[in-house]
Amino acid sequence: MLTDSVAYILQPTLEEAYNLLREGLSKKRFIIAAGLCRVEYSGRAASKLEWGERVLLIKQDNSLLLHRAKGFEAVNWQPPGSIFTVKLEGDCLIIRSYRRSHQETLNIIFKEFTLLAHLHLADEAEFEMHLSEEEMYEAIASNPDLLEPGFRILSHQRRLSAGVADFTGYDSQGRYTIIEVKRKAVDTRAVKQAYKYLSAEVKRKAVDTRAVKQAYKYLSEFKERGAAVRGIIAAPSISVEAMKLAAALGLEFKKIDLSKCRVAYQKSRKGSLLEQSGV
Amino acid sequence: MLTDSVAYILQPTLEEAYNLLREGLSKKRFIIAAGLCRVEYSGRAASKLEWGERVLLIKQDNSLLLHRAKGFEAVNWQPPGSIFTVKLEGDCLIIRSYRRSHQETLNIIFKEFTLLAHLHLADEAEFEMHLSEEEMYEAIASNPDLLEPGFRILSHQRRLSAGVADFTGYDSQGRYTIIEVKRKAVDTRAVKQAYKYLSAEVKRKAVDTRAVKQAYKYLSEFKERGAAVRGIIAAPSISVEAMKLAAALGLEFKKIDLSKCRVAYQKSRKGSLLEQSGV
DNA sequence: CCGTGGATCTCGTGA
DNA sequence: TCACGAGGTCCACGG
C-alpha cells in the first residue's frame, strides 16, 4: 500500500522488506521496522545480541537506532552519516551500517518483519530550550541583582578556554568577586571544577597543564589569607557534601531562583528584540 | 486491522488513534506513532517545539522517545516509569507523560497521525558487551603480565568506594605499584582522576572531601621523593596533553593491547566455565 | 583532527 | 533517596 508520504507493509516477506528498505534508503526516508533480529556490533567496543523482537529506526540522515521493549536507551545504534548496505542471504535480511570515522560496523540480521514502513517527515520547526546554563547566564548578565543586591559585573564571558570564570565583579562592599554559574544542583564534582576555575582566575593566568596543578596549591593561601577575594558558586541548589567541600575551600554558595532567572531572561530578550526592530 | 501481535492503523482519525493508544497503553505494548504534533516539556529544564512531523515511541516500561527526521538523539523524551494520560481536546489528541521523581511533564499535541501501531516485542536475549572496562580488568587480573612482565598483583578490586585503585602490587624489581585501568584513550581528565585515586591509595585512606583536597597536596611529595611508589595508568592509548600531565604528576603510562586482553579474557572465562562444570 | 565540558544526559551501584 | 562514575556516551565549540 502506498500514499504520498508513507509506504508500509505489515508482515512483509523478506523480499518485500528488501525492496522497501532499498527504496527507503535510496530516497533518504525515515524507516521504521519491527521484527525478529540478532545484532553484532564492532568498533570502539564490541557487542552481541541474540534473537529477539526489536524496533529499528533509520533516520533521514542515516542515523540508526535499535530499540528493545524497555529502557530509554537504544541497545545498538549508529550516529548520523554512516553508510548502509542491505542484502538477502539465505533466509535472512542483513542490514549493515558502517561508520568510517570510528571504524564501527553494525550488523542487524532480520529473520522476519512484523512491520516495515518508510515515510518523509516534514519538520522545519525550531526547537527552543529554556532554562539552559546559557539562558541562566544571560539572565544574570542583564540583571546582576539576581546574584546579590548591588553586585557590579566587571567581566562576563562564556567559557571559551578552560579555566575562565563565568563572571567577575565587585560586591556591594567593593570586594573583588568571582562567580561560577551552574544551572543544576551542585555536587562535589562541580565544586572541584568551580574551584579550579576560580583559583585560576585569581591568579589571572591561562590554565595550561601547569596551572591546573598549581590551582590546587592555592587552596591553603585561599583559606589562610581570608576573603581578599570572594569565590561564589551560583546554582539552584547544592548537596550537603558539596556544601562542606565548598566551605572547606573557602567558596560561597549562592542560591539562584530559576523562575526569577526566567523572568529576567524574558525581559532582556524583549529588550534586545525591541532594539533590533529599532523601536 | 489486527493480528495476534500487532495492531495498526494507517492514517487513523484522531478518534481511532485515541482508542488504539488507550488500548496500547493499558496493555503495556510497544507503541509506534508518526504524525503532526507540537511539544511542550517542563521539568529540570523546559522546551517548546512547534508543529512538525515526528515519530513517537512509547515502550513497554512507559519510557517515551520523540524523534525528529534527523539526529541520533530524541528531541524530547521521558525515562521509564512515567505516567500517561491521553485525551481528545477539540481537533487535537494530547499525550501527557508525567514523571514524579523529577516533576517533569511532557505534552505532545497531535493534530494528525500518519501511522499508528502497537505491538508486543518478545525479547528475552541477553545483551553481551565486550571490551568493557570490566572485561579488560578481568583479563589483567587473570594475566598480570599484560601490565608488565613479572608483575605480582597484591589487591584487585572494582571501584566500590571512591579513591580505591584498580590494582596494587609489586613490579619485577619489588617496587610497590598502583595501577589505574582505562578502557579507552586517556585524556587529561582521566589523568587527573587517576591521580586522585593513586594519591589517595598511597595514603591508604578513604577519600572523603578532606582527602580529595589533600590528594592534590601530595603532588609535590610525589615528585620530590622520587618513585618510592610507582603510579601507572594502563590504557590502549593516551593523548599528547594527557601524557604531559601524567609525566608532570609522576605517573607512568602503560599501553595495553586490547586484542591481547580479549584473548586473555576468553581464556580466563573458559577456565572458570570448566571449573563450574566440574571438569 | 584532538581536547574540553554540558546534558531534561541515562544507568548502575553502594551507602 | 543521594552521590559518584561509566558510557560504543552524543554534541557543540575552539584550536
Side-chain angles (χ1 to χ4, degrees):
Chain A
M1 227 176 288
L2 216 65
T3 78
D4 280 12
S5 59
V6 75
Y8 82 100
I9 317 182
L10 188 70
Q11 299 180 329
T13 65
L14 285 186
E15 271 177 35
E16 288 170 329
Y18 176 78
N19 291 327
L20 205 57
L21 269 171
R22 304 267 309 193
E23 185 186 56
L25 286 170
S26 71
K27 290 187 180 169
K28 293 258 173 204
R29 289 166 74 108
F30 196 113
I31 297 168
I32 304 171
L36 181 65
C37 64
R38 67 180 185 83
V39 192
E40 302 162 345
Y41 156 76
S42 163
R44 285 170 293 181
S47 73
K48 240 179 221 188
L49 183 58
E50 282 305 322
W51 297 106
E53 294 176 346
R54 287 119 202 177
V55 168
L56 171 69
L57 303 182
I58 299 176
K59 292 202 185 189
Q60 294 167 201
D61 61 353
N62 278 10
S63 50
L64 179 155
L65 299 156
L66 187 72
H67 278 279
R68 302 185 75 174
K70 295 177 182 182
F72 164 82
E73 290 176 321
V75 64
N76 282 107
W77 70 88
Q78 203 71 284
S82 66
I83 297 161
F84 288 97
T85 52
V86 185
K87 59 179 173 179
L88 282 169
E89 221 174 86
D91 59 345
C92 289
L93 185 153
I94 302 175
I95 299 172
R96 167 164 298 169
S97 163
Y98 176 69
R99 197 176 159 219
R100 189 179 163 179
S101 60
H102 290 255
Q103 298 202 47
E104 292 183 301
T105 306
L106 180 64
N107 286 318
I108 308 177
I109 299 102
F110 275 95
K111 201 170 252 171
E112 60 184 57
F113 287 90
T114 312
L115 169 67
L116 179 59
H118 67 68
L119 61 160
H120 175 77
L121 295 182
D123 181 7
E124 298 300 320
E126 215 176 302
F127 181 65
E128 283 179 55
M129 175 68 87
H130 303 290
L131 301 182
S132 65
E133 190 168 323
E134 184 61 32
E135 203 170 294
M136 201 172 157
Y137 182 84
E138 291 296 332
I140 291 170
S142 68
N143 189 358
D145 282 1
L146 283 168
L147 285 171
E148 225 176 54
F151 190 80
R152 286 168 293 145
I153 290 174
L154 197 67
S155 73
H156 54 112
Q157 53 185 112
R158 285 283 67 198
R159 185 160 300 114
L160 300 179
S161 60
V164 178
D166 289 333
F167 293 96
T168 64
Y170 294 98
D171 67 13
S172 58
Q173 320 254 315
R175 280 173 299 187
Y176 185 62
T177 305
I178 289 155
I179 291 153
E180 175 73 15
V181 176
K182 291 286 168 198
R183 63 168 282 281
K184 58 179 180 178
V186 171
D187 60 13
T188 54
R189 266 186 288 178
V191 173
K192 288 174 218 164
Q193 200 185 0
Y195 181 68
K196 189 180 76 179
Y197 293 138
L198 299 174
S199 303
E201 183 66 23
V202 166
K203 294 295 169 179
R204 294 174 178 279
K205 54 175 154 187
V207 167
D208 58 2
T209 55
R210 234 178 318 118
V212 169
K213 288 179 282 165
Q214 286 184 315
Y216 290 103
K217 289 202 278 186
Y218 303 145
L219 167 63
S220 49
E221 301 177 35
F222 236 177
K223 291 198 66 180
E224 286 159 15
R225 291 199 293 189
V229 173
R230 293 178 68 198
I232 295 180
I233 299 171
S237 68
I238 187 167
S239 74
V240 174
E241 282 304 300
M243 188 65 233
K244 282 184 202 164
L245 181 56
L249 290 169
L251 300 178
E252 299 168 47
F253 167 71
K254 172 66 192 171
K255 184 177 165 60
I256 294 289
D257 191 322
L258 274 184
S259 56
K260 283 185 191 167
C261 264
R262 192 164 195 185
V263 171
Y265 178 75
Q266 299 296 348
K267 271 191 197 162
S268 78
R269 211 154 147 272
K270 244 178 221 165
S272 64
L273 284 174
L274 285 173
E275 251 176 66
Q276 272 173 39
S277 51
V279 179
Chain B
M1 227 173 290
L2 217 68
T3 76
D4 281 11
S5 58
V6 78
Y8 81 99
I9 315 181
L10 188 70
Q11 298 182 328
T13 65
L14 285 186
E15 272 178 35
E16 288 170 328
Y18 177 76
N19 292 327
L20 205 58
L21 268 172
R22 305 266 310 192
E23 184 186 56
L25 287 170
S26 70
K27 290 186 179 170
K28 294 258 173 205
R29 297 178 118 221
F30 197 114
I31 297 168
I32 303 171
L36 181 64
C37 64
R38 66 181 186 84
V39 193
E40 302 161 347
Y41 155 75
S42 163
R44 285 170 292 181
S47 73
K48 237 177 222 189
L49 183 59
E50 282 306 322
W51 298 106
E53 293 178 344
R54 287 116 201 181
V55 168
L56 170 69
L57 303 183
I58 299 177
K59 292 202 185 187
Q60 293 166 202
D61 62 353
N62 278 9
S63 49
L64 179 155
L65 299 156
L66 187 72
H67 278 279
R68 302 184 75 173
K70 295 178 180 182
F72 165 81
E73 290 175 322
V75 64
N76 283 106
W77 71 91
Q78 201 73 285
S82 66
I83 297 162
F84 288 97
T85 52
V86 185
K87 60 178 172 181
L88 282 169
E89 221 174 87
D91 59 345
C92 289
L93 185 152
I94 302 174
I95 299 172
R96 166 165 300 170
S97 164
Y98 176 69
R99 189 156 72 121
R100 190 179 161 177
S101 60
H102 290 256
Q103 298 201 51
E104 291 184 301
T105 306
L106 180 63
N107 285 320
I108 307 177
I109 299 102
F110 275 95
K111 201 169 251 173
E112 60 184 58
F113 287 90
T114 312
L115 167 68
L116 178 60
H118 68 68
L119 61 158
H120 176 76
L121 296 181
D123 181 7
E124 299 300 318
E126 217 177 301
F127 181 66
E128 285 178 56
M129 176 67 88
H130 302 290
L131 302 181
S132 65
E133 188 167 327
E134 184 61 33
E135 202 169 294
M136 201 171 156
Y137 182 84
E138 290 297 331
I140 292 169
S142 69
N143 191 358
D145 282 2
L146 283 168
L147 285 171
E148 223 175 55
F151 190 79
R152 286 165 296 145
I153 289 173
L154 197 65
S155 74
H156 55 111
Q157 53 186 111
R158 284 284 68 198
R159 185 160 300 113
L160 301 179
S161 60
V164 178
D166 288 332
F167 293 95
T168 64
Y170 295 99
D171 67 13
S172 59
Q173 319 254 316
R175 281 173 298 187
Y176 185 62
T177 305
I178 290 156
I179 291 152
E180 175 73 15
V181 176
K182 290 289 166 198
R183 187 182 67 73
K184 56 179 182 176
V186 171
D187 59 14
T188 55
R189 268 190 281 183
V191 173
K192 287 173 215 165
Q193 198 186 359
Y195 181 68
K196 189 181 75 179
Y197 293 137
L198 299 173
S199 304
E201 182 66 24
V202 166
K203 293 295 167 180
R204 294 173 177 281
K205 55 176 154 188
V207 166
D208 56 4
T209 54
R210 236 178 317 118
V212 169
K213 288 179 282 166
Q214 286 185 313
Y216 290 104
K217 290 204 279 188
Y218 302 145
L219 168 62
S220 48
E221 301 178 35
F222 236 178
K223 290 199 68 178
E224 285 159 17
R225 290 199 297 187
V229 172
R230 292 179 67 197
I232 295 179
I233 299 171
S237 68
I238 189 166
S239 74
V240 174
E241 281 305 301
M243 189 65 231
K244 282 185 202 164
L245 182 55
L249 291 168
L251 300 178
E252 299 169 45
F253 167 71
K254 172 65 192 172
K255 184 176 165 61
I256 294 290
D257 190 321
L258 274 184
S259 57
K260 283 185 190 168
C261 263
R262 192 164 197 187
V263 172
Y265 177 76
Q266 299 295 350
K267 271 189 195 164
S268 77
R269 209 155 148 269
K270 245 179 219 165
S272 63
L273 283 173
L274 286 173
E275 252 175 64
Q276 272 172 37
S277 52
V279 179

